[in-house]
Amino acid sequence: MLSPKTFDRRRAELLRRLDGQAVLLVGTSAPPRTSPYMPYGHRQDSTFLYFTGCEREGAAALIDGDGCTLFIDPPADDDDLWHGHVETLEGIGAHYGVVRVRPASELEAACAGRSLATVGTADPGRTALAARLTGQDTAYFPARGHDALTDAIISMRRIKSDEELAEHRQAAHITSLGFRAAMASTHVGGNEAHIAALFDAVLAARGCGTGYHSIVTVRGEVLHNPHYVNPLAAGDLLLLDGGGERPSGYGVDITRTWPVDGRYSGRQRAAYEAVLAAELASIDLCRPGVRYRDVHMKSAEVLARWLLDEGLLRGSLDAVMESHATAAFFPHGVGHLLGLDTHDLEQFWDRAGYAPGRERSTEFGTAYLRMDLDLEPGFLFTIEPGFYVVPGILRNAALRETWGDLVDWDKYADWIGFGGIRIEDDVLCTEDGSEVLTHETPKTIADVEGLIGTGASALDRLSP
Ligand code: GLY
Ligand code: MN
Ligand code: MN
C-alpha cells in the first residue's frame, strides 16, 4: 500500500502546478446490479484514488491551500451489523493523510460560492454533481473540463514513482503465478472457462482483483474476445490476456499464447517466433527520447519481413511499410500507457497519449495506436504486437482494395482458422533504457512448452 504521506505530497504538488487553484474531485458510486442492495463491485475513479487513496464509494475531496477535506457518507447505525466494523470519520481520515473528514451532506455548502476546478468520472451521476457544484462544463469521455487541472493530472500520473512501481511489480509477480497455473493446467478436452476461472482464482487468492475482464480464448483473432465458451482442442492456440490489480488500484496487463496440446505446430511456431522477435525488437528500442510510434513501426517492420518470407504479403518491404499492409495481420497499436487504469488516462484520450501537435492517424491499424509520445524515464507502457488471421479482414472489400496485391488473399484464406497470437509485456522507460516489469511470465517457446499440461487440469484443480 502507499503511504498516507504520498497522497498529501501529490495534493501539494497539484496545487503548486495550479498556482493555488482549489480543486473538487469526486469519487464514483457502485451502480446497482439488481437492486441498490445488490450493487456491482465498486472500483474507485483512478484520479480520485491517485490524490486521496480513498476507495470508498460516493466520496468527494476539496483540495485547497488549507489542506484536503474528504466528504464521505457517515456509516449508518446498522452498518456494523451488515458490514462489520466501521471506522469513525476521523479514523478514516488518518488512512488517507487528509486534514478533515466531513459528512457528504456538507459538500454542497462547502463548495458554494467558490471557484473550483474539476474533472469527470466514469459515473455519470457523480460527474453531473461535480459539474453542478463547480459550475464547470465537464464530461468524462471524451473528457471535457478544466484544462490546467487535466494537464496536471496527466503529467503527474504519467510518471511512475518507485512506490507505484513496487505495486506494479507485486501485481506482475502475482500475475505470473496465474499464467504459470494456467499453462500447467491446459489440457486437450478442457474449456476456456476452466482456465479463466483458475487464472482469476490464483490472482484472488493472492489478494489481487483483475484490472479488466480476463481474455481467455482459442479465438484470439477476436482482439478483446469476452466469451469463455470454447472447448480446448488439439491444434488450438490459447490466448490469455490478463492482469492482476492490487487493492491500491495499480495493476499489470500481460498476454501469452500457447498451444493447447503442448507443442507449437510448424505454422504456430513460425508465427510465434515472428511475434516474439517483433516484441523484443520493439522493447529493445525503448529508451528516453524515442518516439513511441517508431516502437510500433519496429514491430510492424519485423512482422512484415516474416510475412513477406511466408508469402502472406507480397512486394517490397518499402511498399508494404508505406501502405501499412501489415495491419492485415497486426491490426492494432503496439501498446498503451499503463498505471491505475489498464489503458492509463484513456479518458483523456490523445491529450494524454499523444504529444502536442501529433494527430492520430485515421488509417486502419494505426488509428488504434493509443500512444505517440516521446518516451521519458518513469513512463510505464505495454508492448504487445500480435499476428491474427481475421475472417472479417479477409471479407472487407475496402481493405482488400486498399492493399490490393500486397496481401496474398488466397493465402490469407488458407490460414483462416489459425486464430491469433499476442505477446504483451509491461515496460518501464528508465534513465538509460528500459526494464520489463513482467519478465517472470514465461515467454520463450522452450519455457512455455516446458510448462503446458504439467499439472492437473484446471477443472480438477478447482473442483477435484
Ligand atoms: N488487455 C487489453 C489490452 O491489452 O489493451
Ligand atoms: Mn494492453
Ligand atoms: Mn492486454
Side-chain angles (χ1 to χ4, degrees):
M1 295 305 281
L2 277 68
S3 148
K5 284 202 182 73
T6 297
F7 303 111
D8 209 24
R9 267 199 302 270
R10 287 173 175 172
R11 292 187 292 259
E13 174 62 17
L14 179 67
L15 286 179
R16 195 189 65 72
R17 289 178 187 227
L18 295 178
D19 294 328
Q21 165 68 55
V23 174
L24 170 68
L25 295 178
V26 292
T28 45
S29 305
R33 187 165 180 271
T34 53
S35 89
Y37 293 97
M38 290 288 167
Y40 284 103
H42 178 240
R43 166 49 154 81
Q44 185 60 280
D45 173 75
S46 293
T47 294
F48 195 79
L49 263 189
Y50 182 84
F51 287 107
T52 69
C54 176
E55 70 288 344
R56 296 172 73 94
E57 51 177 301
L62 252 181
I63 302 169
D64 61 19
D66 290 336
C68 176
T69 309
L70 198 57
F71 294 86
I72 56 178
D73 283 321
D77 288 344
D78 61 354
D79 242 23
D80 52 355
L81 171 65
W82 290 96
H83 307 123
H85 173 69
V86 189
E87 285 207 75
T88 61
L89 294 189
E90 294 68 31
I92 290 164
H95 289 313
Y96 311 122
V98 300
V99 177
R100 289 167 296 273
V101 184
R102 303 300 308 161
S105 57
E106 295 181 12
L107 176 64
E108 180 138 9
C111 293
R114 300 194 59 175
S115 155
L116 295 168
T118 198
V119 285
T121 74
D123 178 336
R126 301 291 294 171
T127 301
L129 174 73
R132 187 168 64 75
L133 294 179
T134 60
Q136 188 192 292
D137 178 32
T138 189
Y140 167 65
F141 186 86
R144 213 170 49 241
H146 189 280
D147 284 349
L149 174 58
T150 299
D151 289 339
I153 290 168
I154 290 170
S155 55
M156 289 178 70
R157 282 181 51 190
R158 224 161 39 187
I159 303 287
K160 275 30 179 207
S161 67
D162 288 345
E163 203 179 9
E164 292 177 295
L165 291 168
E167 292 287 312
H168 283 293
R169 286 182 217 280
Q170 190 63 24
H173 171 64
I174 290 165
T175 304
S176 78
L177 302 178
F179 270 91
R180 285 176 180 279
M183 288 173 183
S185 305
T186 298
H187 292 276
V188 172
N191 190 287
E192 294 167 352
H194 307 167
I195 304 293
L198 179 66
F199 178 77
D200 289 0
V202 171
L203 270 45
R206 303 271 177 167
C208 276
T210 54
Y212 52 96
H213 181 79
S214 308
I215 300 164
V216 185
T217 181
V218 293
R219 296 269 56 90
E221 75 277 14
V222 181
L223 301 179
H224 282 175
N225 195 339
H227 306 295
Y228 309 139
V229 292
N230 294 303
L232 306 182
D236 283 343
L237 280 174
L238 181 64
L239 181 152
L240 199 167
D241 179 343
E245 179 180 290
R246 300 264 298 151
S248 58
Y250 294 93
V252 290
D253 181 9
I254 304 177
T255 308
R256 297 290 186 263
T257 312
W258 61 91
V260 163
D261 55 26
R263 289 285 169 269
Y264 292 90
S265 72
R267 271 187 177 178
Q268 290 169 349
R269 186 171 298 265
Y272 191 91
E273 279 170 351
V275 176
L276 183 55
E279 203 230 13
L280 295 174
S282 281
I283 292 172
D284 202 45
L285 258 192
C286 295
R287 58 177 48 78
V290 168
R291 183 173 177 177
Y292 191 74
R293 192 175 191 283
D294 295 338
V295 176
H296 171 87
M297 285 305 167
K298 176 53 80 176
S299 269
E301 183 200 316
V302 173
L303 286 166
R305 287 180 194 279
W306 170 67
L307 290 163
L308 286 164
D309 280 353
E310 196 67 39
L312 285 162
L313 288 178
R314 294 188 294 212
S316 70
L317 181 65
D318 285 349
V320 162
M321 293 304 290
E322 207 162 296
S323 67
H324 299 253
T326 311
F329 303 94
F330 171 35
H332 60 74
V334 82
H336 50 84
L337 291 164
L338 175 73
L340 284 165
D341 304 330
T342 303
H343 291 172
D344 208 26
L345 296 158
E346 193 160 49
Q347 96 189 71
F348 304 112
W349 202 237
D350 294 345
R351 194 171 180 127
Y354 275 57
R358 285 184 192 158
E359 294 237 335
R360 195 186 276 240
S361 146
T362 52
E363 245 177 294
F364 181 80
T366 42
Y368 301 118
L369 184 58
R370 300 178 199 271
M371 174 176 170
D372 188 11
L373 298 164
D374 293 342
L375 298 182
E376 293 178 31
F379 279 10
L380 180 64
F381 48 88
T382 68
I383 298 289
E384 50 178 306
F387 166 75
Y388 314 87
V389 184
V390 187
I393 291 179
L394 178 67
R395 285 195 303 266
N396 187 314
L399 291 178
R400 290 183 70 133
E401 193 178 321
T402 303
W403 294 320
D405 289 344
L406 289 171
V407 178
D408 185 329
W409 295 105
D410 289 337
K411 261 215 168 109
Y412 204 116
D414 183 55
W415 277 65
I416 290 289
F418 176 90
I421 292 175
R422 179 162 62 254
I423 304 175
E424 175 174 27
D425 281 296
D426 302 343
V427 177
L428 172 72
C429 181
T430 60
E431 292 294 335
D432 53 4
S434 71
E435 179 193 338
V436 178
L437 260 48
T438 46
H439 61 90
E440 280 181 87
T441 298
K443 182 162 72 172
T444 64
I445 286 185
D447 286 351
V448 173
E449 284 189 343
L451 256 178
I452 301 164
T454 51
S457 76
L459 192 60
D460 278 345
R461 287 177 83 158
L462 288 162
S463 52

